[in-house]
Amino acid sequence: MQKLLEDHKTGALLGSSGVGKSSLINALSGKELMAVQDIREDDSKGRHTTTHRELVLLPGGGLLIDTPGMREFQLGDYEEGVESGFSDVEDLAELCRFRDCEHNNEPGCRVQEALASGELKYDRYQSYLKLKRELAHMERKSNLAAQKAARNKWKQITKDSRKRPVQKR
């Protein structure tokens, strides 16, 4: 990395909190310039330490910017991200017998068949489902009509539950 930053070139370190950006700067500079903390014993992960951006001059003349860790990313183009990032799952879903297949236990579900045969890895499918849930949540947050529909749905569920008689044990 030092070769990349010679001749007064500048680089920046970006990444999640606690991944070792400041430790890398210390290693490249040969000095303890940046404050770092020991990793947590309970999960062996780094700790968020850096709270500001700092430009560091390296021995070879390069410059490196240390930045605070990023804690959250949000997706901008919702559907395009899913389609391109999980095109394999989306392609399988297109082959399901029913257009409104939820990929649970419907007959002719190509996604479930791929999971059963090992063609589609379970953890990859779980990541796909998680992303779809996050995108639905973001859509509800940004779409007033979706917010209203979700609110009305839960109001109705609450009303219905109050109508049911309480069973005594």
Side-chain angles (χ1 to χ4, degrees):
M1 181 178 238
Q2 285 178 318
K3 284 261 187 226
L4 294 172
L5 297 172
E6 288 179 349
D7 302 323
H8 304 286
K9 291 181 182 169
T10 303
L13 297 176
L14 302 173
S16 299
S17 296
V19 296
K21 297 178 298 293
S22 297
S23 296
L24 182 58
I25 286 184
N26 288 342
L28 291 171
S29 69
K31 300 176 188 170
E32 294 296 313
L33 299 174
M34 307 305 295
V36 295
Q37 296 184 55
D38 292 332
I39 60 170
R40 295 188 301 248
E41 287 186 26
D42 59 338
D43 62 2
S44 299
K45 292 189 176 186
R47 300 174 191 214
H48 176 77
T49 306
T50 304
T51 58
H52 63 283
R53 287 164 192 78
E54 188 166 334
L55 182 65
V56 176
L57 178 62
L58 296 175
L63 299 164
L64 198 52
I65 302 169
D66 191 15
T67 61
M70 291 179 245
R71 296 185 181 179
E72 177 179 313
F73 287 104
Q74 288 196 353
L75 301 172
D77 189 352
Y78 308 140
E79 289 307 315
E80 188 176 317
V82 173
E83 289 171 7
S84 63
F86 289 93
S87 60
D88 55 337
V89 181
E90 292 280 315
D91 290 346
L92 288 168
E94 286 291 317
L95 299 174
C96 289
R97 181 186 303 171
F98 302 108
R99 276 273 176 239
D100 61 348
C101 184
E102 293 185 10
H103 318 302
N104 291 323
N105 56 5
E106 297 88 351
C109 176
R110 182 65 181 98
V111 172
Q112 287 300 316
E113 290 171 7
L115 286 167
S117 72
E119 177 185 351
L120 176 61
K121 301 287 183 217
Y122 180 77
D123 58 343
R124 176 150 177 80
Y125 183 60
Q126 291 303 310
S127 295
Y128 168 79
L129 293 177
K130 181 179 178 183
L131 181 59
K132 293 287 272 188
R133 284 190 305 271
E134 289 173 6
L135 293 176
H137 175 74
M138 288 172 59
E139 179 64 26
R140 283 190 305 275
K141 277 177 48 177
S142 65
N143 182 334
L144 294 175
Q147 287 176 14
K148 186 175 180 181
R151 196 168 37 250
N152 289 340
K153 172 187 168 188
W154 285 105
K155 278 184 183 179
Q156 189 62 48
I157 289 171
T158 302
K159 284 180 186 178
D160 292 345
S161 70
R162 289 180 180 157
K163 290 178 184 176
R164 285 191 220 123
V166 176
Q167 295 179 350
K168 294 183 182 178
R169 294 181 188 196

